[in-house]
Amino acid sequence: MTAAELEKWLGTEESRSAGQSDGGESVGHASGRRIVKLLRTRKDDLTEDDLAHMRKVVGYVHRHLAQRPAGDVTGSAWRHSLMNWGHDPLK
């Protein structure tokens, strides 16, 4: 997803309700906000912490893609969670 696509998605109710939360913002939603910033950061300005977060995102996406549920995933929590992490499996 592009930074603009992800930012728009993060503003939806579906995005805010996806993922695990203890009553506050979900981990995936917070990660999505950070991903937007990273996508808008020049490569030369990325820190080691930024690179570590990017590796965490790649790991999350790979693990969850392997758990794709059967059937139409268009409105599924599985897809919404992945989208919070910056990946739309339908693209």
Side-chain angles (χ1 to χ4, degrees):
M1 298 172 76
T2 66
E5 289 171 329
L6 180 53
E7 191 169 50
K8 182 177 179 182
W9 163 250
L10 292 172
T12 68
E13 182 56 39
E14 292 91 348
S15 171
R16 286 187 292 278
S17 63
Q20 295 180 348
S21 167
D22 60 0
E25 182 178 38
S26 73
V27 173
H29 197 271
S31 178
R33 289 186 301 103
R34 183 163 184 195
I35 293 166
V36 169
K37 290 178 186 176
L38 292 174
L39 289 171
R40 292 184 172 149
T41 301
R42 289 176 1 124
K43 189 183 268 187
D44 292 342
D45 294 335
L46 293 171
T47 67
E48 282 301 317
D49 191 48
D50 294 336
L51 297 174
H53 187 74
M54 290 166 37
R55 285 188 289 274
K56 178 180 178 179
V57 170
V58 169
Y60 177 89
V61 169
H62 280 276
R63 283 190 311 277
H64 281 74
L65 285 174
Q67 299 171 1
R68 184 184 182 113
D72 183 16
V73 296
T74 303
S76 69
W78 175 83
R79 178 181 179 222
H80 292 170
S81 181
L82 278 167
M83 289 173 69
N84 276 354
W85 287 80
H87 180 74
D88 184 350
L90 298 184
K91 286 189 157 198

